[in-house]
Amino acid sequence: MPNIGSYDERIKDFDWSISEKELGYKDGDVINIGWYCSDRICQMGKADKLALLWENATGREKNYTFNDVRLASNTIGSFLRGLGINDGDRVCLFLDKIPELYLGFLGILKIGAVAQPLFSAFGDESLYVRLANAETTAIITQRKHVAKVRKIRDQMPYLKHIIVVDYDGRKPLREREIAFSLEEQTPVEDLEIFPTKAESTSVLHYTSGTTGQPKGVQHVHYSLISQYLTAKWVLDLRDDDIYWCTADPGWVTGTSYGIIAPWSLGITQCVQDAGFSAEAWYRFIQKRKVTVWYSAPTAIRSLMKAGEEIVKKFDLSCLRHLASVGEPLNAEAVIWSERVFGHAFLDTYWQTETGSIMLTNFPGMKIKPGSMGKAFPGVEATVLDPKTYEPLTEPGQVGLIGFKPGWPAMMRGYWNNEATYKGKFHNGWYLSGDRSSIDREGYFWFTGRDDDVINTGGHLVSPFEVESALLEHEAVAESAVVAKPDEVNMEVVKAFVALKPGFEANADLELKIMNFIRKKLSPLAMPQEIEYVNSLPKTRSGKIMRRVLHAKEWNEEVGDLSTLEDDE
Ligand code: WTA
């Protein structure tokens, strides 16, 4: 019997107080995610239970019990507090998937500071815009990433501390830089946990929109109430599970379901700090005896591409339950996984902004491959008419996905960007920015995004950000960036570029421009293709018509050009 029992029974009188009760939380109490994920689990008698099984690509391994997690997060929290970091200060985690990332995350929350995780693959420009927006006080990083911080630090007077967790004493540290080695510190047995409340800010995750700079999605400690219960009912986590969430905590999946949810449930999780390869993944599952696996469609499509023969080399009978998030999960992937692993990947839908799973397939429920499933109990979901924002009532009609605000993990704002936050709500609904239909039985079927944001391998890339970075290249006069179809990543970044006089459109320059973006932004944002053009299609007032270029890439009708030319 799955944890959720029967979905139909659960939705009848659902109330989030179910989760509050299980967590021992009452309205008005102190609620601190750092404490819930370590101290409380120890108090429940699981101090010696393994919390984290970690390894990297070179075969190094480290294991942590819940008591180790408690002590290490205390130690980091205490160190940060000693530097003068206060509750509410933003502390960025700019780390590979090393233990300090997971332990530091809890340490930051324990002192009431705000955790700001960022992908360590980000280049200096991507890093800068996010730190500048948050006016981040401290950054925790590794030797190999310090150069990127050094490049931008002088533009950031508020950045008081650059903490290096693996300093080896070789090259001198500079002003504001400080070494911190978890292994060399005396573990802090007792840390005074900052009394955060339900509405205290916990995590700031940056996500890309169509226009403007990335937005800092502001979450609160009360998000735990959603994250705990969704993990219990959708990921079906149980005490003896070995759980593997493949997501990097630079992405919301890697925090909500890669730190907070499993540890608040006292579940053992494993982490692999290594790049993707089908063989390495299967070996990891076999070695760690993974039972519950939460991953993403691009990874699943890559596994499909690697073929079934390779699966047979491993014993994957440990797997019990599989789920996926981040992009549309094609029906073929669901059917393939059922045949090859004996379990179908269950599709789940949510966003950085929603903080927790919203639409989902549940264990035990009838699965319709290609559908995102149904709304989580307590989540009121619909599709809305794009003009009136009234719910569509006919099954099969495509509209905008809307959620009634009120679930615990909902974002509380975009950092320093109230206007964009307010613009997300219409007629009492939060608009996710995606389109879907709902069938007669209440299953949601994703049809696409409602904006120009590119979803490449599950990661959102803003065309605006890439276009801005392209313009910084000496050869680029104009640029437009759109999604191009891709078999594995679903979408990849494609740039149309008009060159300045004196530059020759050739393959060598294409490579140079690609690398320029990779270094400045990230490998994900790097265009996979650059098409040289003499000029770009524009509206009368000079706004680039991405839609025209997009339609060409996808062999679609361009649509009504007259409105575009009038500057809709
Ligand atoms: C897309 C990810 C189709 C969607 C946790 C959404 C999906 C965006 C699915 C959020 C799914 C996520 N099917 N599309 N199951 N899950 N998406 O903020 O466009 O990085 O709005 O959070 O990913 O991406 P984000």
Side-chain angles (χ1 to χ4, degrees):
M1 187 71 161
N3 286 342
I4 186 172
S6 142
Y7 175 76
D8 294 331
E9 286 303 312
R10 287 295 193 189
I11 49 171
K12 277 190 193 147
D13 322 295
F14 179 86
D15 195 308
W16 288 105
S17 64
I18 298 177
S19 183
E20 293 184 349
K21 269 194 210 109
E22 288 191 17
L23 286 162
Y25 169 82
K26 284 189 303 309
D27 194 24
D29 281 356
V30 165
I31 174 168
N32 186 293
I33 290 175
W35 181 83
Y36 266 101
C37 290
S38 56
D39 299 61
R40 177 167 182 267
I41 304 299
C42 293
Q43 286 176 15
M44 291 169 79
K46 296 188 192 175
D48 296 328
K49 181 177 174 183
L50 283 167
L52 177 64
L53 309 167
W54 176 89
E55 67 189 60
N56 70 5
T58 65
R60 266 192 85 196
E61 291 186 17
K62 289 183 189 175
N63 291 344
Y64 297 82
T65 62
F66 276 99
N67 194 46
D68 295 333
V69 171
R70 181 182 73 81
L71 291 174
S73 54
N74 277 355
T75 310
I76 297 172
S78 158
F79 177 78
L80 295 173
R81 192 174 265 160
L83 291 177
I85 291 166
N86 290 314
D87 59 287
D89 286 348
R90 276 75 62 208
V91 179
C92 172
L93 293 152
F94 191 52
L95 298 165
D96 295 352
K97 281 160 56 179
I98 57 173
E100 283 84 349
L101 173 51
Y102 300 80
L103 305 166
F105 182 84
L106 299 189
I108 293 166
L109 298 183
K110 280 186 171 182
I111 63 162
V114 177
Q116 183 191 9
L118 293 176
F119 287 111
S120 61
F122 275 154
D124 54 295
E125 178 93 19
S126 289
L127 183 61
Y128 173 71
V129 296
R130 290 159 176 81
L131 296 181
N133 178 260
E135 294 193 296
T136 306
T137 305
I139 182 165
I140 305 180
T141 191
Q142 284 159 271
R143 262 185 351 246
K144 66 182 195 199
H145 302 305
V146 168
K148 293 189 265 190
V149 185
R150 284 183 178 165
K151 239 172 150 176
I152 53 175
R153 49 179 272 164
D154 290 345
Q155 301 164 60
M156 297 187 290
Y158 37 79
L159 186 68
K160 298 205 187 94
H161 312 283
I162 300 160
I163 301 156
V164 185
V165 296
D166 59 353
Y167 183 59
D168 60 1
R170 281 207 208 136
K171 290 188 189 146
L173 290 173
R174 301 187 188 167
E175 188 209 341
R176 292 190 263 165
E177 293 172 359
I178 182 165
F180 170 81
S181 159
L182 194 52
E183 265 125 46
E184 284 164 26
Q185 298 280 323
T186 313
V188 173
E189 187 59 47
D190 294 305
L191 177 79
E192 197 183 315
I193 308 278
F194 188 85
T196 43
K197 290 292 186 77
E199 294 305 306
S200 307
T201 304
S202 53
V203 185
L204 202 53
H205 263 301
Y206 277 78
T207 185
S208 299
T210 315
T211 54
Q213 295 294 2
K215 296 160 291 186
V217 177
Q218 195 181 339
H219 286 293
V220 295
H221 282 265
Y222 191 64
S223 69
L224 173 67
I225 304 297
S226 296
Q227 289 150 349
Y228 169 91
L229 199 66
T230 47
K232 185 165 176 184
W233 287 2
V234 179
L235 302 178
D236 201 40
L237 293 173
R238 302 177 194 170
D239 199 34
D240 55 357
D241 271 321
I242 306 285
Y243 169 65
W244 186 29
C245 170
T246 60
D248 186 309
W251 186 40
V252 70
T253 307
T255 55
S256 289
Y257 296 99
I259 304 179
I260 303 172
W263 280 351
S264 66
L265 282 151
I267 301 294
T268 305
Q269 63 164 331
C270 47
V271 169
Q272 190 189 39
D273 182 21
F276 174 84
S277 105
E279 185 133 9
W281 274 33
Y282 293 143
R283 182 169 303 116
F284 186 70
I285 292 170
Q286 174 182 272
K287 173 178 163 188
R288 296 301 187 182
K289 299 196 169 47
V290 172
T291 56
V292 180
W293 182 18
Y294 196 26
S295 197
T298 288
I300 301 163
R301 286 190 289 268
S302 304
L303 295 174
M304 285 171 78
K305 231 178 142 189
E308 286 176 42
E309 277 312 302
I310 181 172
V311 181
K312 296 186 187 137
K313 292 208 272 178
F314 300 91
D315 176 5
L316 306 181
S317 57
C318 46
L319 290 170
R320 172 174 76 77
H321 181 47
L322 280 45
S324 155
V325 64
E327 314 150 70
L329 182 66
N330 1 13
E332 305 82 70
V334 177
I335 295 161
W336 180 83
S337 63
E338 175 139 45
R339 190 178 74 241
V340 174
F341 303 125
H343 306 275
F345 270 100
L346 301 195
D347 192 14
T348 72
Y349 167 96
W350 57 291
Q351 309 181 290
T352 307
E353 284 86 344
T354 70
S356 63
I357 295 168
M358 302 297 279
L359 305 173
T360 182
N361 292 280
F362 293 89
M365 170 175 131
K366 179 172 89 179
I367 304 299
K368 300 188 185 183
S371 158
M372 300 188 288
K374 299 188 182 188
F376 190 83
V379 169
E380 196 179 336
T382 190
V383 292
L384 302 161
D385 181 305
K387 290 205 176 75
T388 60
Y389 300 113
E390 289 296 335
L392 295 168
T393 45
E394 283 297 309
Q397 280 179 297
V398 174
L400 306 175
I401 299 177
F403 297 111
K404 250 300 134 66
W407 69 98
M410 171 63 178
M411 69 164 163
R412 298 304 198 263
Y414 288 127
W415 196 262
N416 274 334
N417 198 345
E418 178 75 11
T420 309
Y421 175 71
K422 286 217 167 113
K424 287 287 210 172
F425 299 87
H426 290 274
N427 199 20
W429 296 91
Y430 161 74
L431 262 59
S432 77
D434 290 306
R435 282 179 275 118
S436 172
S437 63
I438 309 175
D439 69 16
R440 275 177 208 289
E441 291 176 293
Y443 285 71
F444 283 72
W445 296 81
F446 184 83
T447 57
R449 285 188 65 94
D450 198 43
D451 59 20
D452 290 339
V453 170
I454 303 166
N455 188 336
T456 179
H459 293 277
L460 304 187
V461 172
S462 147
F464 168 83
E465 230 185 325
V466 184
E467 286 163 4
S468 310
L470 281 166
L471 291 181
E472 290 177 42
H473 191 280
E474 54 171 12
V476 177
E478 283 186 331
S479 72
V481 165
V482 298
K484 178 187 142 159
D486 183 81
E487 202 193 328
V488 172
N489 289 286
M490 209 78 159
E491 298 183 343
V492 290
V493 177
K494 171 164 179 180
F496 291 84
V497 162
L499 296 178
K500 285 183 185 158
F503 287 91
E504 201 189 315
N506 57 31
D508 183 45
L509 181 62
E510 181 181 2
L511 213 61
K512 281 195 180 129
I513 298 176
M514 285 175 172
N515 266 318
F516 179 78
I517 301 300
R518 185 177 58 80
K519 280 187 80 175
K520 232 180 194 344
L521 298 180
S522 77
L524 287 167
M526 183 184 83
Q528 298 293 313
E529 184 189 334
I530 293 178
E531 185 173 325
Y532 296 112
V533 290
N534 290 327
S535 65
L536 295 164
K538 291 196 203 73
T539 61
R540 283 192 202 120
S541 66
K543 210 167 116 195
I544 290 167
M545 295 194 290
R546 281 198 205 109
R547 204 193 290 178
V548 174
L549 299 167
H550 187 275
K552 219 180 94 200
E553 290 304 313
W554 295 77
N555 276 329
E556 286 167 356
E557 292 288 318
V558 176
D560 185 358
L561 279 181
S562 61
T563 54
L564 278 169
E565 280 174 1
D566 282 343
D567 266 358
E568 49 187 25

Coordinates of all heavy atoms in Angstrom, one line a residue, residues 207-211 251 326-328 433-434 446 449-467 470 480-486 489-496 524-529 546 550 553-554:
T207 N 15.5 32.1 -10.9 CA 14.9 31.5 -12.1 C 14.8 32.5 -13.2 O 14.7 33.7 -12.9 CB 13.6 30.9 -11.7 OG1 13.1 30.2 -12.8 CG2 12.5 31.9 -11.3
S208 N 14.8 32.0 -14.4 CA 14.9 33.0 -15.5 C 13.5 33.2 -16.1 O 12.7 32.3 -16.2 CB 15.7 32.3 -16.7 OG 17.0 32.1 -16.2
G209 N 13.3 34.5 -16.5 CA 12.0 34.8 -17.1 C 12.3 35.3 -18.5 O 13.4 35.2 -19.0
T210 N 11.3 35.7 -19.2 CA 11.5 36.1 -20.6 C 12.2 37.4 -20.7 O 13.2 37.6 -21.5 CB 10.1 36.3 -21.4 OG1 9.3 35.3 -21.0 CG2 10.3 36.4 -22.8
T211 N 11.8 38.4 -19.9 CA 12.5 39.7 -19.9 C 13.1 40.0 -18.6 O 12.8 39.4 -17.6 CB 11.4 40.8 -20.2 OG1 10.4 40.7 -19.2 CG2 10.8 40.7 -21.6
W251 N 19.3 24.1 -8.3 CA 18.0 24.1 -8.9 C 17.1 23.7 -7.8 O 17.4 22.9 -6.9 CB 18.0 23.0 -10.0 CG 16.8 22.9 -10.8 CD1 16.0 23.9 -11.3 CD2 16.3 21.7 -11.3 NE1 15.0 23.4 -12.1 CE2 15.1 22.0 -12.1 CE3 16.6 20.3 -11.2 CZ2 14.3 21.0 -12.7 CZ3 15.8 19.4 -11.8 CH2 14.7 19.7 -12.6
G326 N 10.5 18.5 -14.4 CA 11.4 19.5 -15.0 C 11.0 19.9 -16.4 O 11.2 21.0 -16.9
E327 N 10.5 18.9 -17.2 CA 10.1 19.1 -18.6 C 9.0 18.1 -18.9 O 8.8 17.1 -18.1 CB 11.2 18.8 -19.5 CG 12.6 19.3 -19.2 CD 13.6 18.3 -19.8 OE1 13.7 18.2 -21.0 OE2 14.2 17.6 -19.0
P328 N 8.4 18.2 -20.0 CA 7.5 17.2 -20.4 C 8.1 15.8 -20.5 O 9.2 15.7 -21.0 CB 7.0 17.6 -21.8 CG 7.4 19.0 -22.0 CD 8.6 19.3 -21.0
G433 N 2.4 30.2 -16.0 CA 3.1 30.5 -17.3 C 3.2 29.3 -18.2 O 3.9 29.4 -19.2
D434 N 2.4 28.3 -17.9 CA 2.4 27.1 -18.8 C 1.0 26.8 -19.3 O 0.0 27.3 -18.6 CB 2.9 25.8 -18.0 CG 4.3 25.9 -17.7 OD1 5.1 26.1 -18.6 OD2 4.7 25.7 -16.5
F446 N 0.2 18.6 -20.5 CA 1.0 19.8 -20.8 C 1.0 20.0 -22.3 O 1.2 19.1 -23.1 CB 2.4 19.5 -20.3 CG 3.4 20.7 -20.4 CD1 3.4 21.7 -19.4 CD2 4.3 20.7 -21.5 CE1 4.3 22.7 -19.6 CE2 5.2 21.7 -21.6 CZ 5.2 22.7 -20.6
R449 N 4.9 26.1 -22.9 CA 5.0 27.3 -22.0 C 4.3 28.5 -22.7 O 4.1 28.5 -23.9 CB 6.5 27.7 -21.9 CG 7.2 26.8 -20.9 CD 8.6 27.3 -20.6 NE 8.6 28.6 -19.9 CZ 8.6 28.8 -18.6 NH1 8.7 27.7 -17.8 NH2 8.6 30.0 -18.0
D450 N 4.0 29.5 -21.9 CA 3.3 30.6 -22.5 C 4.2 31.8 -22.7 O 3.8 32.9 -22.8 CB 2.1 31.0 -21.5 CG 1.1 31.8 -22.1 OD1 0.7 31.5 -23.3 OD2 0.7 32.8 -21.5
D451 N 5.5 31.5 -22.7 CA 6.5 32.6 -22.9 C 7.6 32.1 -23.7 O 7.6 31.0 -24.2 CB 6.9 33.2 -21.5 CG 7.6 32.1 -20.7 OD1 8.0 31.1 -21.2 OD2 7.7 32.4 -19.4
D452 N 8.7 32.9 -23.9 CA 9.8 32.6 -24.7 C 10.9 31.9 -23.9 O 12.0 31.6 -24.5 CB 10.4 33.8 -25.3 CG 9.5 34.4 -26.4 OD1 8.6 33.7 -26.9 OD2 9.7 35.6 -26.6
V453 N 10.7 31.6 -22.7 CA 11.8 31.0 -21.9 C 12.1 29.6 -22.5 O 11.2 28.9 -22.9 CB 11.4 30.8 -20.4 CG1 12.4 30.0 -19.6 CG2 11.2 32.2 -19.8
I454 N 13.4 29.3 -22.5 CA 13.9 28.1 -23.1 C 14.1 27.0 -22.0 O 14.8 27.3 -21.0 CB 15.2 28.3 -23.9 CG1 14.9 29.4 -25.0 CG2 15.7 27.0 -24.5 CD1 16.2 30.0 -25.6
N455 N 13.5 25.9 -22.2 CA 13.7 24.8 -21.2 C 14.6 23.8 -21.8 O 14.2 22.9 -22.6 CB 12.3 24.2 -20.8 CG 12.4 23.2 -19.7 OD1 13.5 22.7 -19.4 ND2 11.3 23.0 -19.0
T456 N 15.9 23.9 -21.5 CA 16.8 23.0 -22.1 C 17.3 22.0 -21.0 O 17.8 22.3 -20.0 CB 18.0 23.7 -22.7 OG1 18.9 22.8 -23.2 CG2 18.7 24.7 -21.8
G457 N 16.9 20.7 -21.3 CA 17.3 19.7 -20.3 C 16.7 20.0 -18.9 O 17.4 19.6 -17.9
G458 N 15.6 20.6 -18.8 CA 15.0 20.9 -17.5 C 15.4 22.2 -16.9 O 15.0 22.6 -15.9
H459 N 16.4 22.9 -17.6 CA 16.9 24.1 -17.0 C 16.3 25.3 -17.8 O 16.4 25.3 -19.0 CB 18.4 24.1 -16.9 CG 18.9 23.1 -16.0 ND1 19.0 23.4 -14.6 CD2 19.3 21.9 -16.1 CE1 19.4 22.3 -14.0 NE2 19.6 21.4 -14.9
L460 N 15.8 26.3 -17.1 CA 15.2 27.4 -17.8 C 16.3 28.4 -18.1 O 17.1 28.9 -17.3 CB 14.2 28.1 -16.9 CG 13.1 27.2 -16.4 CD1 12.0 28.0 -15.6 CD2 12.4 26.4 -17.5
V461 N 16.3 28.8 -19.4 CA 17.3 29.8 -19.8 C 16.5 31.0 -20.4 O 15.6 30.8 -21.2 CB 18.2 29.2 -20.9 CG1 19.1 30.3 -21.5 CG2 19.1 28.1 -20.3
S462 N 16.9 32.2 -20.0 CA 16.2 33.4 -20.5 C 16.8 33.8 -21.8 O 18.0 34.1 -21.9 CB 16.3 34.5 -19.5 OG 16.3 35.7 -20.1
P463 N 16.0 33.9 -22.9 CA 16.6 34.4 -24.2 C 17.2 35.8 -24.0 O 18.3 36.1 -24.5 CB 15.4 34.5 -25.1 CG 14.2 34.2 -24.3 CD 14.6 33.6 -23.0
F464 N 16.6 36.6 -23.1 CA 17.0 38.0 -22.9 C 18.5 38.0 -22.3 O 19.3 38.7 -22.7 CB 16.1 38.6 -21.9 CG 16.6 39.9 -21.3 CD1 16.4 41.1 -22.0 CD2 17.2 40.0 -20.0 CE1 16.9 42.3 -21.5 CE2 17.7 41.1 -19.5 CZ 17.5 42.3 -20.2
E465 N 18.7 37.1 -21.4 CA 20.0 37.0 -20.7 C 21.1 36.6 -21.8 O 22.2 37.2 -21.8 CB 20.0 35.9 -19.6 CG 20.6 36.4 -18.3 CD 20.6 35.3 -17.3 OE1 19.8 34.4 -17.3 OE2 21.6 35.3 -16.5
V466 N 20.8 35.7 -22.6 CA 21.8 35.2 -23.6 C 22.0 36.3 -24.7 O 23.1 36.6 -25.1 CB 21.3 33.9 -24.3 CG1 22.4 33.4 -25.2 CG2 21.1 32.8 -23.2
E467 N 20.9 37.0 -25.1 CA 21.0 38.1 -26.0 C 21.9 39.2 -25.5 O 22.7 39.8 -26.2 CB 19.6 38.6 -26.4 CG 18.8 37.7 -27.3 CD 17.3 38.0 -27.3 OE1 16.9 39.0 -26.7 OE2 16.6 37.2 -28.0
L470 N 25.4 38.2 -25.6 CA 25.9 38.1 -26.9 C 26.3 39.5 -27.4 O 27.4 39.7 -28.1 CB 24.9 37.6 -27.9 CG 24.7 36.1 -27.9 CD1 23.4 35.7 -28.6 CD2 25.9 35.4 -28.6
A480 N 19.2 37.5 -31.6 CA 17.9 37.0 -31.1 C 18.1 35.5 -30.7 O 18.8 34.8 -31.4 CB 16.9 37.1 -32.2
V481 N 17.5 35.1 -29.6 CA 17.8 33.8 -29.1 C 16.4 33.1 -28.9 O 15.5 33.6 -28.3 CB 18.6 33.9 -27.8 CG1 18.5 32.5 -27.0 CG2 20.0 34.3 -28.0
V482 N 16.4 31.9 -29.5 CA 15.1 31.1 -29.4 C 15.5 29.6 -29.1 O 16.7 29.2 -29.1 CB 14.3 31.1 -30.7 CG1 13.9 32.5 -31.0 CG2 15.1 30.5 -31.9
A483 N 14.4 28.9 -28.8 CA 14.6 27.4 -28.6 C 14.6 26.7 -29.9 O 13.9 27.1 -30.8 CB 13.5 26.9 -27.7
K484 N 15.5 25.7 -30.0 CA 15.5 24.9 -31.2 C 15.2 23.4 -30.7 O 15.6 23.0 -29.7 CB 16.9 25.0 -31.7 CG 17.2 24.2 -33.0 CD 18.7 24.3 -33.3 CE 19.1 22.9 -33.8 NZ 20.3 22.8 -34.5
P485 N 14.4 22.7 -31.5 CA 14.1 21.3 -31.0 C 15.3 20.4 -30.9 O 16.2 20.6 -31.7 CB 13.1 20.8 -32.1 CG 13.0 21.8 -33.1 CD 13.8 23.0 -32.8
D486 N 15.3 19.6 -29.9 CA 16.4 18.6 -29.7 C 15.9 17.3 -29.2 O 15.0 17.3 -28.3 CB 17.4 19.2 -28.7 CG 18.6 18.4 -28.5 OD1 19.5 18.5 -29.3 OD2 18.6 17.6 -27.5
N489 N 17.5 16.9 -25.2 CA 17.2 18.0 -24.3 C 15.9 18.7 -24.5 O 15.6 19.7 -23.9 CB 18.3 19.1 -24.4 CG 19.6 18.6 -23.8 OD1 19.7 18.5 -22.5 ND2 20.6 18.2 -24.6
M490 N 15.1 18.1 -25.5 CA 13.8 18.7 -25.8 C 14.0 20.1 -26.6 O 13.6 20.2 -27.7 CB 13.0 18.9 -24.6 CG 11.5 18.9 -24.9 SD 11.1 17.1 -25.1 CE 9.4 17.2 -24.8
E491 N 14.7 21.0 -25.9 CA 15.0 22.3 -26.5 C 16.5 22.6 -26.2 O 17.0 22.2 -25.2 CB 14.2 23.4 -25.9 CG 12.7 23.2 -26.0 CD 11.9 24.4 -25.5 OE1 12.4 25.2 -24.7 OE2 10.7 24.5 -25.8
V492 N 17.1 23.2 -27.2 CA 18.4 23.8 -26.9 C 18.4 25.3 -27.4 O 17.5 25.7 -28.1 CB 19.6 23.1 -27.7 CG1 19.8 21.7 -27.1 CG2 19.3 23.0 -29.2
V493 N 19.5 26.0 -27.0 CA 19.5 27.4 -27.3 C 20.1 27.6 -28.7 O 21.1 27.1 -29.0 CB 20.5 28.1 -26.2 CG1 20.6 29.6 -26.6 CG2 19.9 27.9 -24.8
K494 N 19.4 28.4 -29.5 CA 19.9 28.8 -30.8 C 19.9 30.3 -30.9 O 19.0 31.0 -30.5 CB 19.0 28.2 -31.9 CG 19.4 28.8 -33.3 CD 18.9 28.0 -34.4 CE 19.3 28.6 -35.7 NZ 18.9 28.0 -36.9
A495 N 21.0 30.8 -31.4 CA 21.2 32.3 -31.5 C 21.2 32.7 -33.0 O 21.9 32.1 -33.8 CB 22.4 32.8 -30.8
F496 N 20.5 33.8 -33.3 CA 20.6 34.4 -34.6 C 21.4 35.7 -34.4 O 21.1 36.4 -33.5 CB 19.2 34.8 -35.2 CG 18.4 33.6 -35.5 CD1 17.7 32.9 -34.6 CD2 18.4 33.1 -36.8 CE1 16.9 31.8 -34.9 CE2 17.6 32.0 -37.2 CZ 16.9 31.4 -36.2
L524 N 24.9 25.6 -20.0 CA 23.5 25.4 -20.4 C 23.0 26.5 -21.3 O 22.2 26.3 -22.2 CB 22.6 25.3 -19.2 CG 22.8 24.0 -18.4 CD1 22.1 24.2 -17.0 CD2 22.1 22.9 -19.1
A525 N 23.5 27.7 -21.0 CA 23.0 28.9 -21.7 C 23.7 29.0 -23.1 O 23.3 29.8 -23.9 CB 23.2 30.1 -20.9
M526 N 24.8 28.3 -23.3 CA 25.6 28.4 -24.5 C 24.8 28.0 -25.7 O 24.2 26.9 -25.7 CB 26.8 27.5 -24.4 CG 27.7 27.7 -25.6 SD 29.1 26.6 -25.5 CE 28.4 25.1 -26.1
P527 N 24.7 28.8 -26.7 CA 24.0 28.4 -28.0 C 24.6 27.2 -28.6 O 25.8 27.1 -28.6 CB 24.1 29.6 -28.9 CG 24.5 30.8 -28.0 CD 25.2 30.2 -26.9
Q528 N 23.8 26.2 -29.0 CA 24.3 25.0 -29.6 C 24.5 25.3 -31.1 O 25.1 24.6 -31.8 CB 23.3 23.9 -29.5 CG 23.1 23.5 -28.0 CD 24.3 22.9 -27.4 OE1 25.0 22.0 -28.0 NE2 24.7 23.3 -26.2
E529 N 23.9 26.4 -31.6 CA 24.0 26.8 -33.0 C 23.9 28.3 -33.1 O 23.1 28.9 -32.4 CB 22.9 26.1 -33.8 CG 23.0 26.3 -35.3 CD 21.8 25.9 -36.1 OE1 21.1 25.0 -35.6 OE2 21.6 26.5 -37.1
R546 N 11.0 37.5 -31.9 CA 11.5 36.1 -31.6 C 10.5 35.1 -32.2 O 10.9 34.0 -32.6 CB 11.6 35.9 -30.1 CG 12.9 36.5 -29.5 CD 13.1 35.8 -28.2 NE 13.9 36.7 -27.3 CZ 13.4 37.3 -26.3 NH1 12.2 37.1 -25.9 NH2 14.2 38.1 -25.6
H550 N 11.3 31.6 -33.9 CA 10.9 30.4 -33.2 C 10.0 29.5 -34.1 O 10.2 28.3 -34.2 CB 10.1 30.7 -31.9 CG 9.8 29.6 -31.0 ND1 8.7 28.8 -31.2 CD2 10.5 29.1 -30.0 CE1 8.7 27.8 -30.3 NE2 9.8 28.0 -29.6
E553 N 12.0 27.6 -36.6 CA 12.7 26.5 -36.1 C 11.9 25.2 -35.8 O 12.3 24.1 -35.9 CB 13.4 26.8 -34.7 CG 14.5 27.8 -34.8 CD 15.6 27.4 -35.7 OE1 16.0 26.2 -35.6 OE2 16.1 28.2 -36.6
W554 N 10.6 25.5 -35.5 CA 9.7 24.4 -35.1 C 8.7 24.0 -36.2 O 7.8 23.3 -36.0 CB 8.9 24.8 -33.8 CG 9.8 24.9 -32.7 CD1 10.7 26.0 -32.4 CD2 10.1 24.0 -31.6 NE1 11.4 25.7 -31.2 CE2 11.0 24.5 -30.7 CE3 9.5 22.7 -31.3 CZ2 11.5 23.8 -29.6 CZ3 10.0 22.0 -30.2 CH2 10.9 22.6 -29.4

